[in-house]
Amino acid sequence: MAVSMRDLDPAFQGAGQKAGIEIWRIENFRPVPVPKSSYGKFFTGDSYVILKTTALKSGALRHDIHYWLGKDTSQDEAGAAAVKTVELDAALGGRAVQYREVQGHETEKFLSYFKPCIIPQEGGVASGFKHVQEEEHKIRMFVCRGKHVVHVKEVPFARSSLNHDDIFILDTKSKIFQFNGSNSSIQERAKALEVVQYIKDTYHDGKCEVAAIEDGKLMADAETGEFWGFFGGFAPLPRKTASDEDRTVQSHTAKLLSVEKGQAKPVDADSLTRELLDTNKCYILDCGLEVFVWMGRNTSLDERKTASGAAEELIRGSDRPKSQIIRVIEGFETVVFKSKFESWPQTTNVAVTEDGRSKVAALLRRQGLNVKGLAKAAPAKEEPQPYIDCTGNLQVWLVNGQEKVLPASDQSKFYSGDCYIFQYSYPGEDKEEYLIGTWIGKQSVEDDRVSAVSLATKMVESMKFQATQACIHEGSEPIQFFSIFQSFIVFKGGLSDGYKNYIAEKEIPEGTYTEDGLALFRVQGSGPDNMQAIQVEAVASSLNSSYCYILHSGSTVFTWAGNLTSPDDHELVERQLDIIKPNLQSKPQKEGSESEQFWELLGGKSEYPSQKIAWEPEGDPHLFSCTFSKGNLKVTEIYNFSQDDLMTEDIFILDCHSDIFVWVGQQVDTKNKLQALTVGQKFLEHDFLLEKLSREAPIYIVMEGSEPPFFTRFFSWDSAKSSMHGNSFQRKLTIVKTGGTPTVDKPKRRTPVSYGGRSSSVPDRSQRSRSMSFSPERVRVRGRSPAFNALAAAFENPNARNLSTPPPVVKKLYPKSVTPDSAKKSAAIAALTASFEKQPPPARETIIPRSVKVSPPTPKTTPTPEPNSKENSMSSKLESLTIQEDAKEGEAEDEEGLPIYPYERLKITSTDPVSEIDVTKRETYLSSEEFKEKFGMKKDAFYKLPKWKQNKLKMALQLF
């Protein structure tokens, strides 16, 4: 496509050079930049062009262009917006995907740029409208629809606007009401609360009350009565009547039309294939709700504008206001577009060059503008990081049939014909974290693979789903796996009965590694804390100039260094040699000067590669909401995702290309939790983004509340949110009513260790320690005092869990009140209290791998107490603690002049709660005598404890 100065509107010069959003409003048919302070504000009488620029991990910039049409905009302005969108794409090199957005029917991708919502205002430039702040607040009502993003529309303030299916927000001068229709979902209610927060902050300066009204609750409380009072009292709601906007556009069989001289003509074809699209033409693919305009690389700017106009005319003539027009350029088609075709080659013979972009860059350079963003950036080169503390405890089992047994050799030595289960515990922010995984060898038998996954899943289930689960295949190990093993060796063959029986049945020659046999190992890794030796075929073609190798036959040992290796690689060979052949002297060989004996052992010389085996690149992350039913997986992509998009009732998949995470909310039922791995496998099988996902990519099952750091790094993570109790709606309501997320005041268990990698940030080896357990009975739980265990034991069935794992954490927003043995609980709380005054226990003994020299671990430091802090901590939770004691009646004042209330009225489950108190300091309203009775200490001693210890006791007494 030819590019000239007339194609470049001055307003678009320099656009799209860095990540972010840029917005132009159409004024007199020309684009005018919108100030950043007004981003997200749209007027119903205007048309806008919005550019979203995303920086990819590859270093390139991706552009999405949207043109938004207000319901009152003129047809001429709408046409100008469509044309300017095509021109902007041309200025960016002709690669952007372009979307038509109509007010009230916007795409989820567009709305995700302006979370939580957009609320268009009346007026526009053409009418001379200027926004003036109104002196009197006007009561308004909005309807909210959407589970992942919210479509907000203002509706008449009348009872007839309400219905049972949707969620409504009534914005009054002093209070915002959210009315939840009885047929709406919890997730929709939670998302609507984000709109309530937006209205509260935008129109009330964050200062107004919020009330949630449940459909069908009638006049059960004062707030419900107040809500219905605005409508003249309660009366049954009318049935929802179908309007034009509620009409769904029926998807139909995709129809392909060729655009010639401004006319769209049907293309005769039995089926849709890529071969039907001619690079010299433009086409329209009509799918009902979605109408695609495909533009060949060799088409002119005028031809593209004409095709876009033909698509506009198509939906206008058939009265389809909800239909979305999406324009794609040849070579940059979206996944959805490709999926409409029966066959679409993985790669096409399209000459995608920098020609258009270079010409634009040259034009802008002559005008003295910076064109850095128009040039293709170099891919960012970075060594993968594990993002996990690598000084924890490791336990490994060999899977043999339906059992897991301790391996006969060092637990860092695996066999390719076997499957293994590993359990790794490491210190989290406020508790011990667990990673339980399966390693599946390439030569392992199917029965062992199924058994390994089943046994690992049972381990996770026995821990009340408080551990992260991983499924890892040989050859696709992630950096986290190698980092926690530090030294890792893979031998050929197997030790399990399943493998031995298989090779016997198939009469396959025994190939299991023996110390006296012939074996060749490729040595790889980034340092002593991340090194591997992988046994490969003992032939010359297995060599690679980028690696070092160990070759042994009986007592003869060679080391071979490729010409592209470094001194660090040579050090790794020596370390691995100490493990594989510790008592024999090796014969060093340099590439190009090998001895005859060396080549004889390998069966003679042959060609071999020189390029290093690269890590599977981590792609740009994509988040999907999942529905899995009757073996069918349906996914919906969540654009511009954040932690708030993770709903506790649902399962989500975070796709990073090199590995995937299946996030499971606390409120997901046990049956679906157990299917999480199947969900991940189905996702890899379907490859929804057509990104050539490997079926053997690592799968992590991440449980809400136990998210590992290598998952949370993809979010701006707030651990307090994942620690909250209740469903999504209850959590959001708590945040909206209290004005923010509870602050976490977490004790630091120890200084975090660097997350690996060969860089200056990696601590010296003498500062690192690690414990590898070999006893099946010894899987230590760190950071658990006897008092804490006594307290936990008082409230749980000791027969209900595996004693080698931490007690399960059962989290509830408002625990049910029960009547346990008060003597047991008093003793447990006393033990917990006494332990707070003790010194921390001595550091544990460690068993160090032979090849890693370390010094004794540094003892953990005790966090500094912060008495009388007003911040709430949600970081430390006790296990299902519910205590109910008799309290004395009567009111008085304590020494500080605060009113005194009985314990029964102060606890969070009270049937007669006290109002107008500081709910974060319920304990301060207890009398001194009752405080000492409940807490086992005086108030001044209690407030000298660290905040997290205070909260543990308060939670045990239902005062937090």
Side-chain angles (χ1 to χ4, degrees), residues 819-863:
T819 309
D821 187 325
S822 59
K824 280 180 74 178
K825 294 198 172 184
S826 298
I829 291 180
L832 176 63
T833 304
S835 74
F836 291 161
E837 308 301 328
K838 294 180 181 179
Q839 296 297 321
R844 68 182 188 279
E845 295 181 358
T846 59
I847 303 173
I848 311 299
R850 180 188 310 181
S851 59
V852 183
K853 298 178 182 180
V854 298
S855 62
T858 305
K860 294 176 286 187
T861 58
T862 305

Side-chain angles (χ1 to χ4, degrees), residues 598 690 883 937:
F598 175 81
L690 304 179
I883 301 178
M937 66 182 78

Side-chain angles (χ1 to χ4, degrees), residues 440-511:
I440 298 174
K442 287 183 178 179
Q443 300 173 314
S444 61
V445 298
E446 184 63 23
D447 288 347
D448 283 350
R449 296 184 179 201
V450 173
S451 181
V453 171
S454 176
L455 290 169
T457 302
K458 287 178 181 178
M459 292 173 65
V460 173
E461 187 177 9
S462 72
M463 297 175 70
K464 305 296 182 185
F465 298 100
Q466 294 299 305
T468 297
Q469 185 177 353
C471 183
I472 296 168
H473 290 259
E474 179 188 354
S476 301
E477 296 91 346
I479 184 64
Q480 291 84 13
F481 178 84
F482 285 146
S483 296
I484 64 179
F485 275 85
Q486 299 185 356
S487 174
F488 184 71
I489 301 174
V490 178
F491 297 113
K492 286 186 172 293
L495 304 177
S496 66
D497 293 339
Y499 175 77
K500 293 177 181 178
N501 293 336
Y502 175 77
I503 62 172
E505 290 175 7
K506 300 293 183 180
E507 298 182 352
I508 299 173
E510 175 62 54

Side-chain angles (χ1 to χ4, degrees), residues 46-64:
D46 289 332
S47 298
Y48 297 80
V49 175
I50 299 93
L51 170 63
K52 170 67 173 177
T53 304
T54 305
L56 305 179
K57 285 185 176 291
S58 64
L61 296 177
R62 185 188 71 210
H63 298 107
D64 292 286

Side-chain angles (χ1 to χ4, degrees), residues 656-673:
C656 304
H657 184 73
S658 57
D659 43 25
I660 68 169
F661 299 85
V662 182
W663 184 90
V664 183
Q666 291 179 1
Q667 306 259 335
V668 173
D669 60 60
T670 301
K671 178 183 177 182
N672 286 328
K673 285 181 179 178

